[in-house]
Amino acid sequence: MIPVPTPALLKQVAANENNVYASYHRLIGAALAKQVTRDDSYQRLAVQWSKLNLVPPGETKEATGRRRAAELPQFVTDLNQLPSPAADQAQQPEEDFPPVAESPWFIGLLKLIEANVVLPIETGSPRAMASLRTCFGDEAAAAAPRFRKILQQLRAIHARSDGKSKGMLYNPQLPRSMGALGRGSGAEACIDLSSRFRPHLMSDVEAASTLVHEGSHTIAVEPTVDFAYRNAHAHYLLPPKLALLNAGNYEQVVIDLIGGMPGQLNAGDVKALRDGAGDSLAQVHALMCSRVVRAWVRVYDLIGLVASGRITAEELRGLPPVPSDSRPLLTALLRELFAQLETLMSVVNTYLVLRLGPKPDDELNRAPEQRTKDDPGAHPRPPTPDDIQPLTFETTRTATTVTVSFGWASEGTPDAIARNVLFELTDRLWQGGHSVFNGSEVAHLVQSIQLTDRPGLRAMLEDYYASLSRKAKID
């Protein structure tokens, strides 16, 4: 639903101020594009919307603003009454969530974490020590005692569970892509659980590692944040001091020690990844995953800040121009942005395959252009048939394969290559104007997320991304 403009917003529409009409233009255009049923009501609104955006010859800006302000409320009301797209129409059945406090499964998960993770770490098990060294490097000794603190916090949170507002509780509003979400720290902390956090939908390994991940966010002293999730092994690339504060690294230790999952790296593979050896594009993929996930988390945080009335202009600085003083309108825009980032995260983390092109003798040997929001072009000049394309895309139902030419991969830094792949990928995902934010806007937000993130994280994120700015080794 698009929020019907209030009198205060209509004043800004009439005066063409604060990006209010531009924001409605985004939401309405995307809503019309998503409509599946193109009946008479839709056709009437489409024609009306076209007229609302036209400026008749001789009409002044002031008259255009007043006309739009007069017609917009009824137009939004009528648009909201159109049938929702099929995906939105499906009514989710009321879910009967199982109790948490007395749940044998939750109690068993906490016991599993103690027996298979905390005690082996405390007794110096070789397998546990190897996992700590792989995940935390020189900070392994500092990380070890934090697992007992995380378990103590999880037990305290579980003990407070009342099924209403305290402890561990199911939150049907939580995106299913989030297994759980830690909120607060110390004695006030809670852990929201998604609808799929149940024994028949989630394995013990995934559930236990998710609890440790979220529990690490809630400890009273130096709680963790999300610099890098485990997608494309981005967490292994963190410098040790950042790894110590990254929830995904604690999650990885749990996965290692409770039985592991296929595809995890051994210590030698991790060292090669950190050194830029092995797969030449591994750092590029890890960096893309880290940035996309961080942007996704950050926009989710902003939605919460808007709801609480604590959003600031500084926190909105990295977004495309949006009105800052209308909670419903800003929330609608951020929810659409969050959904687009969720789509991008799925593509980058699950379906993206990066390949290195062959090494022809006559390939152009130049570094990739640094694409920016204001310069979305992929090439400094139109390509000719003799050029070797820096990036080529092949999309199927199961994968999006990007082949990076050898010249670009050998001369460009991981960050430069990742930037270009990201802008090209988002342009392809959101071409044709069927989304609230275009591909370049989404890519710019992802690429610059460290500049507008929480103040306490900016320097650490910049250090992390700088550590990946060296050239990858290409064999």
Side-chain angles (χ1 to χ4, degrees), residues 108-183:
L109 289 174
L110 297 178
K111 290 180 178 179
L112 183 66
I113 293 168
E114 179 169 41
N116 289 46
V117 180
V118 177
L119 289 178
I121 289 174
E122 291 176 341
T123 57
S125 157
R127 186 160 166 255
M129 295 301 101
S131 177
L132 286 177
R133 286 192 297 272
T134 300
C135 291
F136 297 99
D138 296 340
E139 295 293 331
R146 287 167 65 86
F147 283 87
R148 173 61 70 176
K149 293 178 181 178
I150 292 169
L151 178 61
Q152 291 171 341
Q153 179 71 336
L154 287 173
R155 283 181 166 155
I157 293 173
H158 181 256
R160 293 196 294 271
S161 301
D162 63 358
K164 298 178 181 178
S165 61
K166 297 180 180 178
M168 297 180 186
L169 59 155
Y170 283 100
N171 180 358
Q173 302 303 315
L174 199 66
R176 292 180 68 85
S177 52
M178 289 183 176
L181 177 67
R183 295 186 289 111

Side-chain angles (χ1 to χ4, degrees), residues 197-253:
F197 204 104
R198 309 192 200 190
H200 61 287
L201 297 175
M202 188 177 285
S203 70
D204 286 357
V205 173
E206 185 181 4
S209 61
T210 297
L211 285 179
V212 169
H213 179 119
E214 299 304 329
S216 72
H217 288 326
T218 70
I219 57 178
V221 179
E222 290 191 317
T224 64
V225 293
D226 291 316
F227 292 113
Y229 283 30
R230 295 185 302 104
N231 308 104
H233 309 303
H235 61 307
Y236 286 130
L237 290 175
L238 287 168
K241 290 190 180 299
L242 292 187
L244 189 65
L245 297 176
N246 187 61
N249 293 64
Y250 294 85
E251 179 186 358
Q252 183 65 60
V253 171

Side-chain angles (χ1 to χ4, degrees), residues 61 114 139 182 342 419:
K61 290 183 179 180
E114 179 169 41
E139 295 293 331
E342 197 158 36
R419 177 192 295 268

Side-chain angles (χ1 to χ4, degrees), residues 19 30 55 63 73 81 110 181 214 226 275 314 324 338 361 364 393 430 454-455:
N19 304 296
V55 179
Q81 292 175 352
L110 297 178
L181 177 67
E214 299 304 329
D226 291 316
D275 291 344
E314 172 66 18
S324 58
F338 179 77
D361 294 335
L364 296 176
F393 282 73
W430 293 295
R454 299 205 304 264

Side-chain angles (χ1 to χ4, degrees), residues 13 21-22 27 53 64 95 103 121 136 162 170 179 248 293 332 346 386 429 460:
V13 170
Y21 187 75
L27 292 169
N53 288 300
T64 299
E95 298 191 73
S103 166
I121 289 174
F136 297 99
D162 63 358
Y170 283 100
V293 168
S346 175
D386 294 331
L429 282 174
M460 289 185 281

Side-chain angles (χ1 to χ4, degrees), residues 36 48 101 114 171 190 233 243 270 281 337 346 408 412 417 456:
V36 177
Q48 186 179 350
E114 179 169 41
N171 180 358
C190 299
H233 309 303
V270 173
L281 296 178
L337 180 57
S346 175
W408 273 39
I417 297 169

Side-chain angles (χ1 to χ4, degrees), residues 38-45 82:
R38 305 295 177 96
D39 57 11
D40 290 345
S41 297
Y42 167 85
Q43 297 297 340
R44 178 179 57 80
L45 285 174
L82 288 181

